[in-house]
Amino acid sequence: MHERAGRTLERLAEFYAAPSGPVPGDPVARALELFHEVAATVPAYRAFLAEHGVDPADVRTAEQFAGLPLVTKESYLRRYPLPERCRGGRLDVNDTVAVSSGSSGQPTIWPRSVVDELAVARRFEDALVNMCGDGASSEVRPTLVVVCFALGSWVGGMYTADACRHLAAKGYPVTVATPGNSVDEILRVVGELGPRYERTVLAGYPPFVKNVVDEGVRRGVGWAALGVRLLLAGEVFSESWRDLIGRRAGMADADRASVSLYGTADAGVLGNETPLSVRVRRFVAGRPEAARELFGDARLPTLVQYDPMTRFFETHDGTLLFTGDGGVPLIRYHIADEGGLLSHADVMAFCRAHGFDPGESDGDERPFVFVFGRSLFTVSFFGANVYPENVTVALEHPDIADDVTGKFVMQVRTEADEERRLAVVVERAPDRPAPDTTAVAAAIRAALLRLNSEFANYVPPAYQTPVVEVREPGDPDWFPPGVKHRYSRA
């Protein structure tokens, strides 16, 4: 027990003394080091390697590491008992557990220790410095962080609170409030405490944070006077969404006022937006061909920078793998997110080739990962994949945005004579009239034809206009409060 406490205190001391920024070192060497340590101490991974005929002693190079079998939920997590996936086969070496959202239908338990939180806290630190600094240095202004994620066993709320408390202990002028996903409680906390700080950060799931901002506007909250900032995670959003919420919350600096985190219950936060990544993303947002050149697709993904010393990324058939330490260490874990990797040099070369000056990177030359999201959130219609982000753009049209919350559900319905129709159910904004469904359907069709070449070429014109329904805010069947929203339904 005393030995474990000593290691924990040593790691905490290292974190509190370390400057913000990427961890120095050789990412490949670190990944190999973690592999050998996990193979020696985690019973399930040792058995997994033996089953695949892998002798850990034979894995010494980057090429050999890249030949290791992929770890997936089916091949690993669901086949070996939870304690065996922990070091020494002991679950009790961890301090707490989180439960995945279960977006694929089956939640997973993820244990972690306070030490595991430190790599994630560095991503929050990077985001906080960018959002709440004074613009001339890394000094963070006095900041209230309001955790708007659901609390409880889900990962977002508790992990955010814990990471930000580490930053407070490190010396940043940060106070954390945890009202959870209650709009009334959030606005009560903001009203009471927000004026006492120079910055107020709303940390939450984008559609829910939009609800908070909109309800605050209706109740007369002066967001601009509170220096509000947004710390977002959980889904891809468009740059028009960033502009819309920025206007409503009185945020002037689009590069810094909102930061998206690429996070997962599996390993916490894997990467974060930076001012540089936001500027690049905003440049390609209105240029589908440029997006296709950079990302291989006209869709606009989340674009973040990551630290390869703590989360080592690879790609596999257009999807992402990562290697990272944690309560359940993961080696070449196939998370099934669609996306890819870009070096800092590649992104800068792309910008120069297009005559775009993205500004200074402040010496931060970390690589980039882009994420489209998981294909299970799409629907297939006439062989065309219809993505949530295609519909999101339509609902942000100035003639529509005020009357909807931004939440919607897509599905393909079978009607009489087996006719199939694309249907979109949208949520009405509180205290607003229901939007004209004909106008919404036309906007969705226009966005799909402009952004989705599969849809434009595969779907016959007579079927390109979706069927649109409007539901009340918080409809229990379509938009139940307090749970992670799903954008598609079978």
Side-chain angles (χ1 to χ4, degrees):
M1 180 176 68
H2 295 298
E3 181 182 357
R4 176 185 171 190
R7 287 196 302 269
T8 299
L9 290 172
E10 181 181 348
R11 293 288 299 277
L12 287 168
E14 291 173 357
F15 171 77
Y16 294 145
S20 62
V23 176
D26 180 346
V28 173
R30 172 57 187 146
L32 283 165
E33 178 187 15
L34 180 62
F35 161 74
H36 286 288
E37 192 265 331
V38 172
T41 62
V42 177
Y45 192 62
R46 189 162 56 244
F48 177 77
L49 292 176
E51 182 180 335
H52 285 82
V54 176
D55 182 348
D58 294 336
V59 181
R60 296 293 175 187
T61 67
E63 291 76 14
Q64 291 165 338
F65 181 86
L68 290 170
L70 304 186
V71 167
T72 67
K73 286 185 177 179
E74 290 72 24
S75 69
Y76 185 71
L77 300 178
R78 292 173 185 157
R79 292 191 58 214
Y80 298 94
L82 177 58
E84 293 186 16
R85 291 182 260 129
C86 302
R87 284 179 171 82
R90 294 184 58 182
L91 182 59
D92 62 357
V93 299
N94 298 284
D95 307 332
T96 188
V97 296
V99 180
S100 71
S101 63
S103 57
S104 61
Q106 187 172 348
T108 305
I109 303 294
W110 295 101
R112 70 175 186 272
S113 72
V114 67
V115 169
D116 299 323
E117 295 168 355
L118 300 181
V120 172
R122 292 184 73 91
R123 303 280 59 79
F124 279 89
E125 182 178 22
D126 193 44
L128 191 74
V129 168
N130 288 330
M131 284 195 300
C132 301
D134 63 8
S137 71
S138 60
E139 181 181 357
V140 172
R141 312 311 302 161
T143 298
L144 173 69
V145 176
V146 183
V147 178
C148 305
F149 292 107
L151 301 176
S153 59
W154 300 280
V155 70
M158 297 300 294
Y159 223 142
T160 298
D162 290 343
C164 290
R165 291 187 70 187
H166 283 306
L167 299 183
K170 190 171 182 175
Y172 289 102
V174 172
T175 302
V176 183
T178 55
N181 60 345
S182 165
V183 175
D184 288 340
E185 190 66 12
I186 291 166
L187 294 179
R188 188 181 72 82
V189 168
V190 167
E192 177 65 27
L193 296 177
R196 303 173 189 273
Y197 293 83
E198 295 184 34
R199 300 284 188 268
T200 295
V201 175
L202 302 179
Y205 182 51
F208 182 75
V209 170
K210 179 178 179 295
N211 289 351
V212 172
V213 170
D214 288 347
E215 184 60 25
V217 171
R218 280 189 284 272
R219 298 188 191 184
V221 174
W223 292 116
L226 298 175
V228 71
R229 301 288 187 266
L230 305 182
L231 188 61
L232 307 163
E235 70 169 48
V236 180
F237 56 82
S238 71
E239 289 304 315
S240 58
W241 186 93
R242 195 193 306 265
D243 289 339
L244 174 69
I245 202 71
R247 288 192 302 271
R248 293 183 181 178
M251 300 185 299
D253 189 348
D255 294 358
R256 297 178 181 272
S258 57
V259 171
S260 179
L261 305 174
Y262 173 30
T264 168
D266 315 56
V269 178
L270 303 174
N272 59 279
E273 283 190 328
T274 62
L276 175 61
S277 74
V278 172
R279 289 192 291 267
V280 172
R281 189 175 191 262
R282 290 176 71 78
F283 172 73
V284 300
R287 300 171 174 84
E289 291 309 312
R292 188 182 301 279
E293 179 182 340
L294 186 61
F295 305 124
D297 197 301
R299 291 182 290 157
L300 188 66
T302 295
L303 178 66
V304 303
Q305 290 183 269
Y306 69 98
D307 184 350
M309 285 294 290
T310 58
R311 299 292 185 260
F312 183 77
F313 275 100
E314 303 170 84
T315 57
H316 174 76
D317 294 337
T319 59
L320 296 169
L321 318 174
F322 72 84
T323 294
D325 205 351
V328 172
L330 297 169
I331 308 296
R332 306 200 76 223
Y333 179 58
H334 187 213
I335 195 171
D337 282 344
E338 295 180 85
L341 306 176
L342 295 165
S343 71
H344 183 272
D346 288 340
V347 172
M348 294 300 100
F350 168 84
C351 293
R352 287 193 297 271
H354 286 265
F356 172 59
D357 180 7
E360 297 296 325
S361 57
D362 300 322
D364 184 355
E365 297 188 355
R366 285 177 295 162
F368 295 77
V369 57
F370 59 90
V371 189
F372 291 112
R374 296 182 182 175
S375 58
L376 59 87
F377 292 121
T378 69
V379 297
S380 180
F381 188 53
F382 284 89
N385 287 322
V386 179
Y387 302 94
E389 51 265 42
N390 299 153
V391 177
T392 295
V393 170
L395 299 185
E396 290 159 357
H397 189 280
D399 294 337
I400 297 170
D402 288 344
D403 298 328
V404 298
T405 65
K407 290 183 182 179
F408 59 90
V409 178
M410 306 183 301
Q411 61 180 180
V412 176
R413 296 178 181 174
T414 302
E415 299 182 340
D417 296 324
E418 296 300 314
E419 288 283 347
R420 290 170 65 78
R421 291 286 179 180
L422 177 64
V424 181
V425 179
V426 301
E427 185 181 40
R428 179 179 65 80
D431 302 323
R432 295 290 301 180
D436 179 356
T437 55
T438 301
V440 174
I444 293 173
R445 178 180 183 274
L448 285 167
L449 292 176
R450 180 169 63 89
L451 299 172
N452 190 323
S453 59
E454 280 189 356
F455 186 90
N457 287 282
Y458 295 177
V459 179
Y463 294 85
Q464 289 175 350
T465 301
V467 176
V468 172
E469 296 180 19
V470 178
R471 299 283 175 146
E472 293 299 294
D475 183 290
D477 294 327
W478 295 91
F479 307 104
V483 298
K484 188 171 182 179
H485 180 61
R486 294 184 57 133
Y487 284 90
S488 63
R489 179 178 294 187

